[in-house]
Amino acid sequence: MTQSFPTSKSSTSQARRIAVYASLVLLAGCVPPATAPVVAPPPVVSAPVPVDPSRIESEATIATSIAATPGLNTLATELRIAELDQLLGGDGPYTLFAPSDAAFTRLAPGIASDLLAPENRAALVALLRYHVVAGTVTTEQLTDRIRAGGGRATLTTLGGQPIVATMTGDVITLTSVTGNRSYVEAADVAQVNGVIHVVNGVLVPVLP
């Protein structure tokens, strides 16, 4: 499922200006060539590297492990730009639902890169804090809470907005306040300051 983020009026206006400018440039260049054009081959797009939880060092902090693990590069970059790597490098403990690189490719085109722009920093911080819960919550504990709650459990994130956890078969399913879902695909990666659960989708909160 493709996920999308709300954009601010200023961002939308800027995007429209860029689109108009690009259209004008393209129209200016629409002159029939004298000879047949050389068609470049399509770019080769490599698939995201799957996350191998066995390669994540258990004696490291969450921030260190995210930065060092193939398949979590997008998340590592975003944490660094949002300066939340310092938080996840601290004492904690924290539970991080870590979207893989593949998860970010399921966002609407351009969103992942747009989030890195300085004017979108507030949205980036809100998005990342929405994937962090205070304390260490293992899948066993979360499954117990889901059963005790009649099939659902609510987690309060550091962003203040809740995530609802349910079960899809034997897989933990996370649903955001905006209705999109993510599934835990690599669970209970213990860290010195908490635990990492790798998820296959980006959870989208209500963004500022």
Side-chain angles (χ1 to χ4, degrees):
M1 178 181 294
T2 301
Q3 304 165 8
S4 60
F5 292 89
T7 57
S8 64
K9 292 182 179 178
S10 60
S11 297
T12 301
S13 299
Q14 182 181 16
R16 288 174 178 170
R17 286 197 299 272
I18 293 172
V20 170
Y21 177 76
S23 298
L24 290 172
V25 171
L26 288 173
L27 288 172
C30 290
V31 178
T35 59
V38 176
V39 179
V44 177
V45 179
S46 58
V49 176
V51 178
D52 181 357
S54 67
R55 298 182 60 180
I56 300 178
E57 175 58 56
S58 62
E59 295 303 315
T61 66
I62 293 173
T64 298
S65 292
I66 295 300
T69 302
L72 295 175
N73 296 331
T74 303
L75 177 60
T77 298
E78 292 188 347
L79 287 172
R80 185 178 68 253
I81 289 176
E83 298 180 345
L84 291 178
D85 53 343
Q86 300 173 23
L87 174 74
L88 296 178
D91 293 337
Y94 301 108
T95 297
L96 172 66
F97 295 102
S100 63
D101 288 345
F104 283 99
T105 66
R106 298 184 179 102
L107 295 172
I111 291 296
S113 57
D114 288 347
L115 281 169
L116 303 180
E119 61 269 23
N120 294 327
R121 188 177 186 279
L124 177 62
V125 171
L127 180 77
L128 295 174
R129 289 178 69 88
Y130 191 56
H131 289 76
V132 184
V133 174
T136 299
V137 182
T138 66
T139 53
E140 181 179 2
Q141 293 169 335
L142 187 51
T143 300
D144 288 344
R145 289 174 60 176
I146 293 171
R147 290 171 179 162
R152 57 187 286 151
T154 300
L155 301 173
T156 301
T157 67
L158 292 191
Q161 299 182 54
I163 295 171
V164 173
T166 56
M167 301 296 297
T168 302
D170 59 354
V171 178
I172 292 177
T173 304
L174 306 172
T175 302
S176 75
V177 290
T178 59
N180 74 300
R181 293 182 178 179
S182 181
Y183 301 89
V184 175
E185 59 182 9
D188 298 321
V189 183
Q191 301 288 272
V192 295
N193 62 342
V195 65
I196 298 171
H197 304 298
V198 179
V199 296
N200 69 352
V202 179
L203 293 164
V204 183
V206 176
L207 296 174

